[in-house]
Amino acid sequence: MDEITAIELKERLARNNKIQLVDVREPSEFEICNLGGELIPLGELPKQVSRIRRDIPVVVICHHGFRSAQAINYLTQRLGFDNLLNLKGGIHAWATQVDPDMAVY
């Protein structure tokens, strides 16, 4: 599984690279802090898979990187996605490494 660090993601976003952010956390977690991506909770993934692009890199985000890894495994093994990156350490890594003002939980 391909991963991207919080620092690498920050650099890619700063360069305006086309990238889709998909957050697989629950709505209550998304409300606490998020990167402005699309919220598709892990349990909703099979029903909302049409929202995930195949033509640009997609970074999948969760709290610490475990649920996003599950999402990526599902999407690659069952549906043939080949453009997915797991945010290593999740939104927590972003908060601790990139944006210390972001709420943590």
Side-chain angles (χ1 to χ4, degrees):
M1 173 181 322
D2 292 328
E3 292 186 313
I4 188 169
T5 68
I7 301 296
E8 290 167 339
L9 178 57
K10 178 185 177 197
E11 292 168 356
R12 285 180 84 163
L13 292 171
R15 289 194 307 263
N16 287 325
N17 286 1
K18 287 192 175 189
I19 197 164
Q20 181 185 25
L21 304 176
V22 173
D23 197 316
V24 296
R25 297 176 298 149
E26 294 300 312
S28 59
E29 295 174 282
F30 191 81
E31 286 179 28
I32 294 169
C33 60
N34 66 74
L35 296 179
E38 296 188 51
L39 176 63
I40 305 175
L42 186 60
E44 298 287 316
L45 204 56
K47 291 183 262 179
Q48 297 193 41
V49 71
S50 63
R51 294 175 52 199
I52 302 172
R53 295 184 58 174
R54 292 179 180 259
D55 60 331
I56 61 172
V58 176
V59 177
V60 185
I61 302 164
C62 70
H63 191 195
H64 285 110
F66 300 109
R67 282 176 282 177
S68 53
Q70 287 180 301
I72 289 172
N73 284 333
Y74 170 78
L75 293 167
T76 57
Q77 293 173 7
R78 299 258 178 118
L79 302 173
F81 279 81
D82 63 359
N83 60 323
L84 307 174
L85 298 165
N86 189 25
L87 179 58
K88 187 175 182 179
I91 195 82
H92 185 79
W94 181 274
T96 58
Q97 298 170 17
V98 175
D99 185 1
D101 293 329
M102 178 178 270
V104 293
Y105 64 101

